[in-house]
């Protein structure tokens, strides 16, 4: 059978005309529109470089047919929007796509070595070539950014004309033309040479431009430029220190992704017609007031029965964090996870609901007593699952997993009532750890000391990456969190062998807090590996017990041992302990924490202290 043609999201060029009148600059997958090439990110197309425009333009160019709305009330409420929209995905007949703008504007010609703005080369329309030499132009390899998310051109002119005494800048503008060439001696920054024809400054290399204080020494601070919003965006004086980055560096753009599971009573889709009215409905306390509002909005024909509307309002109020002060985003997002944990524990029988139900979580039929010696309890078979992942914002220079609101850059210049998102449907297995056994294990001095080493290293890395100590958030490392995280990784590796799913098609979702100790492993892909039933079949107690034992025994040994197990620190910044790519690390798409805060010694124990391991007592059984 011939497969259908791939559906791709097209990226359109910058312009004010309708999307179908703009030249096509390339194509990426729909999911990459929120994970890799979202708003504000740089995308390389052949030898050209572009930045993805903001949602203000997408609101006008995305059509309802190619960018339909999706709803997930719980997540939308936390993010302060009414609904989400899928990024355009289309074939060659599409008239839709993302808008992009050329960035950086500074280009160099490898033939004449001129370094100037793209338009100053007088390229032919629609091409990026030197008007004199007729060779492809090279976009600047270097850009500058600040921790507030602003992005700008590298200040080549100031760099060339810098003075040797106290970093003061010389007379500018000088009227000369910039030149860039490579000496060819090495591939280092020392071989990239920049000069000016004015003759006031010697030819200098790019060496030293990546120092944390390199641009500060030139007296330069961030001017608040936002090129993804175009010339209409008003630059606001920022004043934060600027850092030099390679154009393709991962620090240039990191997505702030937030996700939520569709759980009852929101998971059957019946509440979707009311998506834009919930905030208004919450203002009414009385049933008759709600009824009057709905009659006025829907002209007396509300698509949702009034009893269901009242039940949904009551369910929403239950998720409000218990706090006298206005809850922060973190509190509201934690409340969302808490409600998911409660629903996963309680279950949801498929026979009790309609075929439209998107969440089915059942207790397995087998004897769960076989899991008691392992310290595992409460397995649940999640036969139907829907997750919505939304792009909330993005960061530069700051780890997106440890952001504060002040370091997140919004996707549009003005507030919008929607965000781009993806939805995935699949299946999963949920399990918990025995609270009594876990509590006793957490009290061990050796366990606490080992995790404290990881937490200290992680906190140090967060502080080193931040120019402002007040922006640093605390590390999430706790004994419970590291244990659940490492257990999820070894189970995913084991199930990738047993269930037929590739590890990249599985994903973890951790529930680690004082009142939560669970992990959900689920299929996280929207392709043919979404819901085949192979993963749920592994959740029956007898099979699950065998899987846990096998995964833990496999974690006892690593091909990099004894180095892996006995190392004092591993990974970038020493944030991991006994964890490497040969034992517990996963594809980045499968891990919630970018493969950090892992330690298999907390599962199986260390050679000098077997009691470290939560499962150490069952290895010989």
């Amino acid at each position: 059978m011939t497969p259908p043609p791939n559906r791709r999201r097209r990226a359109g060029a910058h312009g004010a005309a309708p999307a179908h009148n703009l030249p096509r600059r390339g194509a990426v997958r729909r999911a990459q529109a929120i994970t890799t090439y979202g708003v504000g990110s740089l995308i390389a197309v052949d030898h050209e470089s572009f930045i993805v425009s903001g949602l203000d333009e997408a609101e006008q160019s995305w059509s309802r047919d190619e960018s339909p709305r999706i709803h997930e009330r719980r997540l939308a409420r936390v993010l302060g929007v009414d609904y989400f929209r899928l990024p355009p995905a289309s074939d060659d007949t599409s008239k839709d796509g993302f808008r992009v703008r050329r960035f950086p504007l500074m280009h160099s010609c490898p033939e004449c070595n001129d370094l100037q703005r793209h338009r100053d080369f007088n390229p032919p329309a629609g091409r990026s070539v030197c008007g004199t030499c007729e060779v492809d132009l090279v976009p600047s390899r270097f850009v500058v950014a600040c921790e507030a998310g602003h992005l700008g051109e590298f200040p080549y002119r100031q760099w060339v004309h810098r003075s040797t005494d106290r970093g003061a800048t010389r007379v500018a503008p000088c009227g000369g033309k910039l030149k860039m060439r490579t000496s060819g001696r090495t591939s280092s920054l020392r071989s990239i040479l920049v000069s000016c024809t004015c003759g006031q400054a010697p030819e200098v290399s790019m060496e030293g431009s990546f120092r944390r204080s390199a641009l500060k020494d030139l007296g330069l601070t961030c001017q608040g430029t936002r090129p993804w919003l175009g010339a209409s965006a008003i630059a606001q004086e920022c004043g934060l220190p600027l850092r030099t980055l390679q154009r393709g560096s991962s620090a240039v753009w990191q997505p702030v992704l937030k996700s939520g599971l569709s759980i009852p009573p929101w998971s059957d889709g019946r509440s979707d017609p009311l998506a834009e009215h919930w905030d208004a409905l919450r203002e009414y306390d009385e049933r008759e007031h709600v009824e009057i509002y709905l009659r006025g909005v829907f002209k007396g024909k509300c698509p949702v029965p009034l009893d269901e509307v009242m039940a949904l309002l009551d369910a929403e109020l239950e998720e409000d964090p218990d706090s006298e002060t206005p809850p922060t985003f973190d509190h509201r997002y934690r409340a969302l996870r808490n409600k998911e944990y409660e629903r996963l524990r309680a279950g949801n029988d498929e026979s009790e609901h309609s075929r439209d139900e998107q969440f089915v979580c059942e207790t397995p039929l087998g004897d769960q007593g076989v899991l008691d010696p392992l310290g595992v309890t409460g397995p649940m078979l999640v036969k139907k699952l829907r997750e919505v992942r939304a792009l909330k914002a993005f960061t530069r220079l700051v780890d997106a997993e440890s952001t504060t609101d002040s370091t997140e850059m919004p996707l549009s210049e003005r507030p919008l009532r929607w965000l781009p998102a993806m939805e995935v449907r699949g299946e999963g297995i949920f399990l918990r750890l025995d609270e009594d056994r876990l509590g006793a294990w957490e009290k061990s001095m050796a366990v606490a000391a080992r995790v404290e080493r990881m937490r200290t290293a992680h906190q140090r890395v967060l502080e080193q990456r931040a120019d402002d100590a007040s922006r640093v958030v605390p590390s999430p490392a706790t004994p419970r969190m590291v244990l659940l995280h490492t257990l999820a990784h070894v189970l995913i590796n084991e199930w990738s062998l047993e269930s037929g799913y590739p590890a990249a098609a599985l994903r973890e979702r951790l529930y680690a807090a004082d009142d939560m100790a669970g992990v959900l492993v689920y299929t996280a892909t929207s392709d043919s590996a979404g819901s085949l039933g192979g993963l749920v079949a592994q959740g029956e107690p007898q099979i699950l017990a065998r899987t846990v034992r096998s995964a833990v025994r496999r974690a006892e040994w690593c091909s990099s041992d004894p180095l892996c197990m006995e190392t004092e620190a591993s990974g970038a910044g020493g944030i991991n302990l006994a964890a490497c790519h040969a034992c517990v690390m996963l594809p980045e798409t499968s891990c919630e924490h970018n493969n950090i805060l892992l330690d298999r010694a907390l599962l199986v124990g260390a050679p000098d202290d077997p009691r470290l391991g939560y499962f150490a007592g069952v290895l010989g059984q």
Side-chain angles (χ1 to χ4, degrees):
M1 180 178 178
T2 303
N6 291 331
R7 296 181 62 82
R8 301 173 296 176
R9 193 267 297 165
R10 293 283 183 170
H14 163 57
H20 59 278
N21 292 332
L22 298 174
R24 303 289 184 177
R25 293 295 188 181
V28 296
R29 296 190 303 274
R30 169 180 262 173
Q32 290 180 310
I34 66 170
T35 59
T36 311
Y37 300 122
V39 171
S41 67
L42 296 180
I43 177 172
V45 181
D46 297 329
H47 60 277
E48 300 180 81
S49 176
F50 301 93
I51 190 168
V52 180
S53 299
L55 292 185
D56 303 273
E57 293 188 16
E59 187 176 30
Q60 303 298 325
S61 62
W62 290 9
S63 69
R64 288 182 176 270
D65 294 335
E66 298 179 13
S67 180
R69 295 184 179 185
I70 58 177
H71 301 280
E72 172 44 53
R73 171 56 189 168
R74 297 171 61 252
L75 182 62
R77 179 191 174 199
V78 171
L79 296 178
V81 296
D82 293 331
Y83 58 91
F84 304 99
R85 295 183 69 177
L86 291 173
S90 56
D91 52 28
D92 293 333
T93 63
S94 169
K95 297 181 180 180
D96 213 339
F98 264 14
R99 302 288 187 92
V100 298
R101 290 180 166 86
R102 191 179 300 281
F103 187 85
L105 297 180
M106 293 296 290
H107 284 62
S108 61
C109 174
E111 188 72 24
C112 62
N113 294 330
D114 282 353
L115 174 64
Q116 57 191 359
R117 294 171 71 88
H118 183 270
R119 67 188 180 195
D120 295 335
F121 284 99
N122 295 318
R127 300 183 62 192
S128 182
V129 298
C130 178
T132 303
C133 307
E134 295 187 352
V135 298
D136 290 337
L137 296 175
V138 180
S140 170
R141 284 177 53 187
F142 311 105
V143 296
V144 296
C146 77
E147 286 193 355
H150 301 116
L151 186 69
E153 305 275 353
F154 182 82
Y156 288 103
R157 191 168 296 277
Q158 290 90 332
W159 182 253
V160 171
H161 293 87
R162 71 187 190 275
S163 174
T164 55
D165 52 355
R166 297 187 180 181
T169 55
R170 290 186 176 179
V171 178
C174 62
K177 293 187 66 175
L178 295 175
K179 298 281 187 176
M180 174 180 281
R181 68 181 183 90
T182 58
S183 66
R185 295 178 181 177
T186 67
S187 58
S188 67
L189 294 174
R190 183 179 299 179
S191 294
I192 303 177
L193 305 173
V194 185
S195 61
C196 182
T197 59
C198 69
Q200 298 181 28
E203 186 177 53
V204 299
S205 75
M206 292 296 295
E207 186 176 26
S209 60
F210 281 76
R211 288 187 298 107
R212 183 179 290 267
S213 61
L215 301 180
K216 181 180 180 181
D217 293 342
L218 296 180
L220 300 177
T221 57
C222 180
Q223 299 300 307
T225 53
R226 297 173 292 174
W228 61 96
L229 298 179
S232 61
I234 300 176
Q236 299 177 350
E237 184 72 24
C238 174
L240 288 178
L242 286 171
R243 295 277 298 278
T244 304
L245 298 171
Q246 293 250 28
R247 173 165 50 90
S249 169
S250 60
V252 170
W253 188 85
Q254 290 194 38
V256 179
L257 297 173
K258 300 300 177 182
S259 66
L261 301 182
S262 295
I263 62 173
W266 308 94
S267 53
D268 57 7
R270 291 174 59 85
S271 63
D272 292 351
L274 303 179
E276 300 180 36
H277 304 286
W278 287 116
D279 290 340
L281 288 171
R282 283 173 58 89
E283 300 296 325
Y284 301 105
D285 296 328
E286 302 296 333
R287 179 186 177 96
E288 52 269 23
H289 295 161
V290 172
E291 185 176 10
I292 294 172
Y293 174 85
L294 292 175
R295 284 180 179 176
V297 170
F298 294 100
K299 309 302 181 185
K301 298 180 180 179
C302 180
V304 183
L306 182 60
D307 290 340
E308 292 188 21
V309 174
M310 299 306 298
L312 290 170
L313 286 173
D314 291 340
E316 186 164 287
L317 290 174
E318 291 179 2
E319 294 196 32
D320 289 338
D322 297 329
S323 176
E324 296 180 357
T325 59
T328 64
F329 175 83
D330 290 337
H331 284 108
R332 290 183 283 120
Y333 193 60
R334 194 176 304 122
L336 179 144
R337 287 285 182 114
N338 289 341
K339 186 59 68 171
E340 290 177 2
Y341 184 73
E342 293 176 9
R343 176 54 66 177
L344 287 166
R345 289 188 61 175
N348 180 34
D349 193 344
E350 183 176 14
S351 61
E352 299 177 358
H353 298 276
S354 66
R355 294 178 59 185
D356 295 330
E357 178 61 51
Q358 299 167 339
F359 179 87
V360 176
C361 180
E362 300 179 351
T363 304
L365 299 178
D367 180 15
Q368 298 187 24
V370 298
L371 296 170
D372 292 342
L374 301 175
V376 175
T377 186
M380 300 295 288
L381 308 180
V382 188
K383 295 183 176 181
K384 291 178 69 175
L385 181 71
R386 175 180 180 262
E387 180 195 27
V388 174
R389 300 177 197 158
L391 177 61
K392 177 194 177 197
F394 63 87
T395 65
R396 307 194 196 278
L397 298 173
V398 180
D399 186 358
E401 293 295 324
S402 56
T403 63
T404 59
D405 290 340
S406 60
T407 61
E408 294 179 358
M409 179 60 69
L411 306 181
S412 59
E413 187 171 16
R414 57 188 175 84
L416 297 179
R417 298 305 299 171
W418 63 277
L419 289 172
M422 286 291 297
E423 62 176 352
V424 294
R425 301 172 188 267
E427 58 178 341
I429 298 175
F430 173 75
L431 57 87
R432 295 180 288 121
L433 298 182
D434 181 82
E435 287 285 353
D436 293 336
R437 180 168 167 174
L438 180 62
W441 174 83
E442 287 177 314
K443 294 177 182 178
S444 169
M445 295 292 291
V447 170
R450 190 172 178 91
V451 174
E452 180 61 23
R453 287 164 50 193
M454 302 172 67
R455 192 203 65 78
T456 302
H458 189 209
Q459 197 67 44
R460 182 172 60 250
V461 169
L462 294 177
E463 293 172 356
Q464 289 173 350
R465 292 176 179 173
D467 290 321
D468 185 353
S470 64
R471 297 171 179 264
V472 179
V473 298
S475 169
T478 63
R480 180 175 301 212
M481 180 268 170
V482 178
L483 173 63
L484 286 168
H485 191 200
T486 311
L487 175 62
H489 277 230
V490 299
L491 286 176
I492 288 176
N493 279 329
E494 191 70 20
W495 278 324
S496 69
L497 299 174
E498 295 292 334
S499 67
Y501 286 103
L506 301 178
R507 184 174 173 85
E508 67 179 5
R509 192 169 182 85
L510 305 180
Y511 299 90
D514 293 339
D515 55 347
M516 297 191 296
V519 59
L520 172 67
V521 176
Y522 61 104
T523 56
T525 177
S526 56
D527 63 9
S528 58
S531 284
L532 303 179
L535 183 59
V536 165
Q538 303 296 316
E540 291 296 334
Q542 292 287 347
I543 301 177
L544 181 59
R546 185 171 66 246
T547 300
V548 172
R549 292 180 189 276
S550 176
V552 171
R553 289 196 181 102
R554 200 183 300 274
E556 278 189 288
W557 183 85
C558 171
S559 59
S560 297
D561 278 341
L563 179 62
C564 178
M565 178 60 76
E566 297 179 3
T567 184
E568 292 296 321
S570 67
I575 302 174
N576 291 332
L577 289 181
C580 70
H581 286 286
C583 50
V584 300
M585 286 191 177
L586 293 174
E588 293 291 343
T589 55
S590 301
C591 179
E592 280 196 309
H593 295 282
N594 297 321
N595 273 328
I596 64 171
L597 303 177
L598 295 165
D599 182 17
R600 60 190 175 90
L602 297 186
L603 295 178
V604 299
D608 57 342
D609 191 357
R611 295 172 299 175
L612 280 173
Y614 180 84
F615 295 99
V618 301
L619 290 174
Q621 298 179 5

